[in-house]
Amino acid sequence: MWGFQRTRYADCNGSEASEETEIVVNIGGVKQVLYGDVLTRFPETRLAELVDSSLKSSEEISLICDDYDPDTGEFYFDRDPEAFKCIIELYYYGEIHMKRGICPICFMKEMEFWKIDSDFLDECCKSHLKEVEDELAEIAEKVRTILVDREGDPSAGGWQRFQICLWRLMEKPESSLPAHIIAIVSFIFILISSVVMCVGTIPDLQVEDSEGKLTEHPVLEVIETVCIGWFTIEYLLRLISSPNKIKFVLSFMNIIDFMAIMPFYVVLILTSFGAGVMELANVQQAVQALRIMRIARIFKLARHSSGLQTLTSALKSSLKELGLLLMYMGVGVFLFSALGYTMEQNHPDTLFTSIPQSFWWAVITMTTVGYGDVYPKTTLGRCNAAISFLCGVIAIALPIHPIINNFVLFYNKQQVLETAAKHEIELMALRTGGELMAASGSHKHICGAGAWDNDMRSGHSDTFIPLLKDPRGGAGIQTPSMDTSFESTAEATEHFIS
């Protein structure tokens, strides 16, 4: 038995006053002795209703607790004793703190059972609860997305259904086998196109045109044309099937897709105008710039790589740290380049001709690259260089650690959310199978996991599993209770939860 220290009061004569009637509660097998004057500090709570239990009938007492022993005067509650340790703090300290390791959602249900308002929860615990609620909302959104991808919208018309199917085919590789194959083919085309772009710059693989200039090999040009054709068809199909065309066009990844195919058609149009247009210097520079823009297609790999997507999201969440890094580097570059120019300007063979020119030296020194094209020649200049690269190492190292932590946290969170969403889908499938078997009253198989007993045996009831909280007002997912004594039920449970 555990409890808080009881403060004893003295009356005006100095003798110890008699205490309130003791109330013995049994929380999940753990006894606790409480006192009426403590519990009545919060009269609206469930524990405060036990104070005048002697005036209540057995039916009224049964509504307060799970069981009551009139011989010992002990109230039984089938609740979590660890959570109750936090609950009882309210009556002694006026606020509640959740202990580490207790699920915030389950703890809120405990507070609801004991009729305690969430306002009594400490601010630090409220922030933790908010984080968990946000995660549950993300899980719910992922579940809805998966269900829509699997089942679609039954109220959609013929053209809308075609759009949805096409959108799944092009954007949801996990929705079906053909969609997965298309994603793999698109990934292969991206790799081939990137390799062709690099190989086409090797002089030994280039050929001379009529004017004696080196150009890409015709075979490589054919491969490039095929790849561009695939990218164009893919982009147009995704644009046609997109539910929101404006959002699709303005999306960052779709802008990259457009930039990857646009240079090919611009160069094709300029070439069709004839050699006279192509001989203009400005046109040649524009064509060269457009060819360089082909490197944007390498970013298309992010569409098929969850790792690159996680890296992008982590960098977005680390904008503050990246800003600090740039600020540190900017201040250091300006400071040490000015000092370097001042200390080196009187040397006859100085390489520091101006402060802006010294920026390059400061950058490569603070980043510890040190190409050696610009270096100090005086003693003071070398001391300045030593201090600059030491400060550069510190300036770079300080913000890097939070950025790495953000990446690890975001990656782990994504993995947890995906696993939880998949788990919720499996529980929903399990519930659906249980409802079908309860309706039919015969042996059924759930995804080959085993057969449920048709009578479900006595003592079985629907158990509420609050893993997914529906933000639209639903409380969660309800699934048939599992009894480990049934071998077939255990097999089904292992199949869906493992």
Side-chain angles (χ1 to χ4, degrees):
M1 185 174 69
W2 44 261
F4 290 87
Q5 183 177 358
R6 170 69 175 169
T7 302
R8 307 177 74 91
Y9 302 95
D11 58 19
C12 57
N13 297 323
S15 60
E16 190 176 85
S18 60
E19 295 188 359
E20 297 280 347
T21 304
E22 292 183 350
I23 299 175
V24 181
V25 295
N26 189 310
I27 311 296
V30 180
K31 289 185 178 181
Q32 166 72 31
V33 179
L34 306 175
Y35 301 92
D37 62 333
V38 176
L39 299 181
T40 52
R41 295 174 185 176
F42 299 92
E44 301 298 328
T45 60
R46 183 180 293 269
L47 288 176
E49 298 176 1
L50 301 177
V51 176
D52 56 350
S53 59
S54 59
L55 305 177
K56 296 180 180 179
S57 62
S58 58
E59 290 78 7
E60 293 175 333
I61 295 178
S62 63
L63 297 176
I64 301 175
C65 60
D66 295 319
D67 198 4
Y68 174 66
D69 188 353
D71 297 332
T72 60
E74 188 171 345
F75 299 90
Y76 293 88
F77 293 89
D78 189 13
R79 311 302 298 184
D80 183 10
E82 294 298 323
F84 186 76
K85 292 180 182 180
C86 304
I87 295 293
I88 200 63
E89 290 182 357
L90 172 67
Y91 300 92
Y92 291 91
Y93 308 124
E95 61 181 5
I96 297 178
H97 292 268
M98 282 189 299
K99 290 187 177 181
R100 187 179 300 274
I102 297 180
C103 173
I105 302 300
C106 296
F107 188 78
M108 291 304 298
K109 293 185 179 298
E110 290 288 327
M111 292 182 62
E112 182 180 354
F113 173 80
W114 297 109
K115 299 182 181 181
I116 298 176
D117 193 85
S118 60
D119 294 336
F120 292 108
L121 199 62
D122 191 72
E123 292 298 327
C124 62
C125 300
K126 287 181 180 179
S127 61
H128 186 200
L129 176 64
K130 182 65 167 58
E131 293 177 0
V132 175
E133 289 178 343
D134 292 341
E135 290 182 2
L136 289 177
E138 294 182 21
I139 294 174
E141 185 62 29
K142 284 184 176 292
V143 169
R144 291 192 196 91
T145 303
I146 294 174
L147 291 178
V148 169
D149 291 341
R150 289 184 178 182
E151 301 174 2
D153 187 3
S155 63
W159 170 249
Q160 290 180 337
R161 290 183 180 179
F162 173 76
Q163 275 188 309
I164 294 174
C165 293
L166 187 59
W167 179 255
R168 291 185 207 158
L169 192 65
M170 305 304 298
E171 284 286 332
K172 307 290 184 180
E174 69 280 358
S175 62
S176 62
L177 179 60
H180 187 67
I181 294 175
I182 289 178
I184 295 176
V185 172
S186 180
F187 183 81
I188 293 174
F189 270 108
I190 294 172
L191 292 181
I192 293 175
S193 177
S194 302
V195 172
V196 168
M197 183 186 67
C198 297
V199 172
T201 60
I202 300 176
D204 294 339
L205 299 180
Q206 293 178 336
V207 295
E208 294 184 356
D209 57 8
S210 59
E211 297 179 357
K213 297 181 181 179
L214 293 177
T215 59
E216 289 186 0
H217 198 280
V219 176
L220 297 180
E221 290 184 353
V222 172
I223 298 176
E224 174 75 8
T225 303
V226 173
C227 293
I228 292 297
W230 170 265
F231 296 149
T232 304
I233 295 174
E234 181 186 34
Y235 182 85
L236 292 177
L237 290 177
R238 291 171 53 242
L239 177 62
I240 293 173
S241 61
S242 172
N244 191 332
K245 303 295 189 296
I246 297 178
K247 183 179 179 180
F248 176 87
V249 172
L250 298 180
S251 174
F252 175 73
M253 291 304 302
N254 294 327
I255 292 175
I256 290 178
D257 292 343
F258 180 77
M259 291 175 60
I261 61 178
M262 182 265 295
F264 176 83
Y265 293 103
V266 174
V267 172
L268 188 64
I269 293 173
L270 293 176
T271 305
S272 65
F273 287 153
V277 176
M278 295 299 295
E279 289 176 357
L280 297 176
N282 293 335
V283 175
Q284 292 179 357
Q285 293 177 358
V287 171
Q288 187 65 24
L290 291 173
R291 288 184 179 274
I292 294 175
M293 287 177 60
R294 293 185 301 173
I295 62 176
R297 68 188 58 173
I298 196 65
F299 293 105
K300 288 171 64 67
L301 291 175
R303 185 182 301 280
H304 308 284
S305 173
S306 59
L308 290 177
Q309 294 173 5
T310 303
L311 176 61
T312 303
S313 301
L315 291 177
K316 287 182 180 179
S317 63
S318 305
L319 291 179
K320 182 178 179 180
E321 288 78 8
L322 292 174
L324 289 175
L325 175 60
L326 294 178
M327 185 187 70
Y328 294 157
M329 292 298 298
V331 172
V333 167
F334 181 81
L335 175 63
F336 292 112
S337 60
L339 291 176
Y341 170 75
T342 303
M343 297 173 182
E344 294 288 322
Q345 63 177 340
N346 294 327
H347 194 279
D349 298 327
T350 182
L351 299 176
F352 295 78
T353 58
S354 65
I355 292 180
Q357 186 269 342
S358 303
F359 286 168
W360 169 247
W361 168 83
V363 170
I364 63 176
T365 302
M366 292 189 67
T367 56
T368 67
V369 176
Y371 289 116
D373 53 345
V374 181
Y375 56 91
K377 297 182 178 180
T378 63
T379 303
L380 289 177
R382 291 169 181 171
C383 293
N384 176 61
I387 296 174
S388 67
F389 73 71
L390 288 176
C391 292
V393 170
I394 296 174
I396 294 175
L398 287 177
I400 288 298
H401 187 66
I403 295 174
I404 295 175
N405 284 341
N406 288 340
F407 175 80
V408 173
L409 290 175
F410 193 89
Y411 181 79
N412 291 337
K413 180 180 178 181
Q414 288 298 113
Q415 296 297 316
V416 169
L417 290 178
E418 291 177 2
T419 303
K422 183 179 179 181
H423 183 69
E424 292 296 336
I425 296 296
E426 292 171 347
L427 286 176
M428 293 174 68
L430 188 60
R431 181 196 65 172
T432 304
E435 291 177 350
L436 292 176
M437 285 178 293
S440 62
S442 57
H443 293 280
K444 300 288 183 181
H445 288 270
I446 304 178
C447 299
W452 295 78
D453 286 327
N454 54 358
D455 56 355
M456 295 299 289
R457 305 278 181 103
S458 60
H460 277 238
S461 62
D462 288 344
T463 302
F464 184 78
I465 302 180
L467 294 177
L468 176 59
K469 187 175 182 180
D470 192 346
R472 296 176 298 178
I477 293 177
Q478 195 174 11
T479 182
S481 174
M482 299 296 176
D483 190 345
T484 53
S485 63
F486 298 105
E487 182 179 357
S488 58
T489 305
E491 294 176 354
T493 305
E494 181 181 359
H495 174 78
F496 282 101
I497 297 182
S498 62

